[in-house]
């Protein structure tokens, strides 16, 4: 993913509270690297809705909202995908820290929502059992 | 490049909150997929960035990857808009393609 011009991990670490804070997670090629770049702590103030069982990994509905103060960005990650970061959403002032979309999952695994706030990075994780993987 | 259909945008204002549904027709080709076992891998072709603005003010900026389903669908909500305001959605893909479409908040 470096070919896409995203910043590397050290830059992301330095700017975790800035507008480009999720770049490191996007640049990461493994789930562990992406999570390390985010330096996140779990939070019950994040609502992450995914199906427990998804018949088709090509289209898994995901809804995330954050009750954390100072939420700036939400990053969606999938631990079993070839590239862990699936999407990143930035919320300017006036936009609710909420997003719903559909993502691909290569197989059964965890969907993680990482929420970047003025006070650090927080996560919520849910397991999804995928019947037919969605990357083929 | 194949012609890509217009972005579909539905934005409804209710109790001060505008809820937006955006559907961006796009193949979101992963670069891993083959049409058939004896065919080469189809080249990656996917939306990398999208931006939504209302009356020139950004209300959402997103970065997508091949892990977003084909024909990406997004729902989000924002404040401080009025019925009749113009809402514009722009996407850019990894092959330099771009599309912008507009709608009105109802």
């Amino acid at each position: 993913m470096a070919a896409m011009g995203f910043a590397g991990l050290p830059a992301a670490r330095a700017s975790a509270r800035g507008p480009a804070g999720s770049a490191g997670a996007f640049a990461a090629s493994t789930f562990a690297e992406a999570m390390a770049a985010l330096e996140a702590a779990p939070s019950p103030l994040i609502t992450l809705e995914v199906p427990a069982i998804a018949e088709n990994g090509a289209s898994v509905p995901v809804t995330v909202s954050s009750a954390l103060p100072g939420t700036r960005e939400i990053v969606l990650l999938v631990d079993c995908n070839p590239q862990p970061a699936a999407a990143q959403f930035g919320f300017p002032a006036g936009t609710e820290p909420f997003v719903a979309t559909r993502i691909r999952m290569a197989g059964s695994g965890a969907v993680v929502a990482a929420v970047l706030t003025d006070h650090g990075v927080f996560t919520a994780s849910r397991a999804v059992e995928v019947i037919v993987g969605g990357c083929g | 490049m194949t012609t890509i259909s217009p972005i579909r945008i539905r934005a409804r204002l209710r109790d001060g909150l505008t809820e937006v549904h955006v559907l961006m027709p796009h193949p979101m080709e992963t670069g891993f997929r083959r049409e058939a076992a004896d065919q080469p891998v189809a080249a990656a072709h996917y939306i990398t960035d999208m931006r939504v603005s209302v009356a020139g003010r950004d209300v959402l900026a997103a970065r997508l990857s091949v892990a977003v389903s084909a024909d990406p669908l997004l729902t989000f909500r924002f404040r401080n808009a009025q019925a009749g305001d113009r809402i514009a959605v722009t996407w850019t893909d990894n092959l330099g393609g771009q599309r912008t479409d507009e709608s009105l908040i109802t």
Side-chain angles (χ1 to χ4, degrees):
Chain A
M1 297 313 296
M4 294 171 63
F6 295 150
L9 297 176
R13 213 173 282 248
S15 62
R17 288 170 181 79
S22 53
F26 250 81
S29 56
T30 71
F31 182 70
E33 277 175 21
M35 293 306 288
L38 289 166
E39 294 182 341
S43 171
L45 296 177
I46 302 164
T47 305
L48 172 59
E49 293 173 39
V50 293
I53 298 175
E55 288 196 12
N56 182 2
S59 182
V60 180
V62 178
T63 302
V64 194
S65 61
S66 166
L68 290 160
T71 295
R72 292 167 172 271
E73 296 181 27
I74 293 177
V75 183
L76 293 177
L77 303 106
V78 180
D79 69 351
C80 58
N81 280 357
Q83 175 202 334
Q88 174 255 331
F89 303 94
F91 305 100
T95 300
E96 301 282 298
F98 159 88
V99 69
T101 187
R102 293 175 185 167
I103 61 171
R104 291 184 170 124
M105 294 182 70
S108 297
V111 174
V112 174
V115 177
L116 283 69
T117 77
D118 293 338
H119 315 288
V121 183
F122 301 89
T123 57
S125 176
R126 295 283 180 277
V128 178
E129 185 184 341
V130 174
I131 308 299
V132 180
C135 287
Chain B
M1 190 183 298
T2 54
T3 305
I4 291 183
S5 305
I7 303 166
R8 281 191 268 163
I9 308 162
R10 195 177 74 211
R12 293 185 64 189
L13 176 64
R14 187 178 294 170
D15 298 329
L17 202 56
T18 305
E19 181 163 273
V20 187
H21 297 273
V22 179
L23 188 145
M24 298 175 284
H26 196 283
M28 298 299 282
E29 192 65 61
T30 61
F32 304 130
R33 195 180 65 91
R34 295 171 196 272
E35 292 286 356
D38 59 348
Q39 295 289 308
V41 172
H45 183 206
Y46 59 97
I47 294 172
T48 56
D49 291 278
M50 64 98 61
R51 188 167 294 279
V52 185
S53 64
V54 172
R57 164 175 72 98
D58 277 355
V59 293
L60 187 78
R63 176 183 286 169
L64 307 188
S65 76
V66 295
V68 175
S69 304
D71 302 331
L73 183 67
L74 283 185
T75 303
F76 69 100
R77 302 168 182 148
F78 63 92
R79 298 186 180 278
N80 306 327
Q82 296 179 343
D85 283 356
R86 194 171 291 274
I87 181 166
V89 178
T90 298
W91 59 248
T92 306
D93 71 25
N94 67 317
L95 301 182
Q98 191 174 66
R99 177 156 195 125
T100 300
D101 289 286
E102 293 187 338
S103 182
L104 295 178
I105 296 173
T106 58

